[in-house]
């Protein structure tokens, strides 16, 4: 729960600190500008609020690891929701409107998460989660998107170290293997999820694991 709060709060603060010109820069999400990514974060915040307000009475069907679907290829941008996100982002017009909306709904999502009991069961995507597991999903989601946000913004603050470490643990569990300890948490996340290609020396260190990466999470 604390890891979610730190990661989510840091991501909101990073967006709040952007200059208007930053919204037109590319993000680490292929084909998305920073403004598109920020619009996606608004949708994430709405999903958190909706899920935390959707109690379930049955046993959990997934956890923070089994939530994720691993795809064979990266998103093409043709998914209807991805396409809608780009159109919505453009419709905001002014960057301050996007910043205001994310701060508004994102702060509410953070407060709702702080009030939720870790063992409460909630439903989303026709699945049931314990709140603690559901929020752990968003530790990885918010950490990866924080890295996407700052991919071309050298002066922007990085995600918190606790969130990077927890995200690495989750990613290793999803991959079913440990990543060499010589890799920093940030590099491990970027390489395994295909956000950057490994160098030749990194490929050599990964060995046969290099054939299993990247993992495209959805």
């Amino acid at each position: 729960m604390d890891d979610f709060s730190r990661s989510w709060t840091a991501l909101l603060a990073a967006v709040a600190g952007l200059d208007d010109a930053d919204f037109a820069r590319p993000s680490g999400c292929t084909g998305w500008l920073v403004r598109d990514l920020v619009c996606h974060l608004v949708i994430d915040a709405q999903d958190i609020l909706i899920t935390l307000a959707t109690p379930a009475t049955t046993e959990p069907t997934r956890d923070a690891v089994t939530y994720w679907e691993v795809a064979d290829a990266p998103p093409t941008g043709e998914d209807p929701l991805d396409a809608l996100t780009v159109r919505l982002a453009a419709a905001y017009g002014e960057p301050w409107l996007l910043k205001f909306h994310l701060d508004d709904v994102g702060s509410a999502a953070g407060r709702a998460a702080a009030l939720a009991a870790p063992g409460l069961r909630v439903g989303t995507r026709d699945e049931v989660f314990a709140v603690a597991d559901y929020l752990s999903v968003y530790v990885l989601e918010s950490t990866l998107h924080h890295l996407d946000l700052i991919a071309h913004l050298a002066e922007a603050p990085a995600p918190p170290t606790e969130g990077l470490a927890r995200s690495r643990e989750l990613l290793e569990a999803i991959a079913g293997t440990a990543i060499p300890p010589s890799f920093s948490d940030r590099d491990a996340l970027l390489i395994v999820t295909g956000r950057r290609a490994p160098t030749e020396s990194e490929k050599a260190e990964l060995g046969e694991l290099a054939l299993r990466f990247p993992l495209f999470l959805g």
Side-chain angles (χ1 to χ4, degrees):
M1 303 287 278
D2 289 341
D3 286 338
F4 167 80
S5 179
R6 279 189 289 263
S7 299
W8 186 249
T9 300
L11 179 54
L12 296 184
V15 173
L18 297 177
D19 293 329
D20 284 1
D22 293 333
F23 282 73
R25 299 182 190 277
S27 77
C29 294
T30 303
W32 274 8
L33 302 176
V34 166
R35 73 178 188 188
D36 305 322
L37 175 57
V38 174
C39 186
H40 173 75
L41 297 178
V42 171
I43 296 171
D44 273 353
Q46 292 171 339
D47 285 345
I48 293 170
L49 283 169
I50 291 168
T51 300
L52 293 179
T54 308
T57 57
T58 58
E59 290 295 317
T61 56
R62 296 207 184 193
D63 58 25
V65 174
T66 58
Y67 168 92
W68 299 96
E69 301 286 347
V70 179
D72 297 328
T76 63
E78 296 176 0
D79 178 83
L81 183 57
D82 289 345
L84 175 63
T85 300
V86 174
R87 294 197 300 272
L88 281 174
Y92 275 88
E94 298 293 333
W96 73 266
L97 288 170
L98 258 176
K99 291 170 77 170
F100 172 80
H101 196 182
L102 180 61
D103 179 66
D104 192 32
V105 72
S107 296
R111 291 191 298 270
L115 292 170
L120 179 70
R121 297 165 190 169
V122 292
T124 184
R125 297 188 179 186
D126 296 322
E127 303 286 354
V128 176
F129 294 83
V131 162
D133 276 317
Y134 176 71
L135 294 179
S136 289
V137 166
Y138 272 93
V139 174
L140 179 53
E141 174 88 354
S142 59
T143 299
L144 288 175
H145 282 329
H146 196 143
L147 294 173
D148 292 331
L149 184 78
I150 67 174
H152 302 282
L153 301 172
E155 301 302 318
T161 56
E162 299 91 345
L164 287 165
R166 177 60 177 146
S167 294
R168 182 192 186 132
E169 290 175 3
L170 288 168
L171 191 58
E172 288 179 333
I174 294 164
T177 187
I179 302 161
S182 60
F183 285 57
S184 70
D185 294 336
R186 180 173 182 161
D187 285 337
L189 292 171
L190 292 173
I191 291 169
V192 173
T193 63
R195 283 166 163 82
R196 81 163 174 84
T199 64
E200 290 302 316
S201 62
E202 288 169 338
K203 284 182 182 178
E205 193 162 2
L206 285 168
E208 293 184 359
L209 283 178
L211 301 175
R212 297 179 53 184
F213 303 144
L215 303 179
F216 302 108
L217 304 181

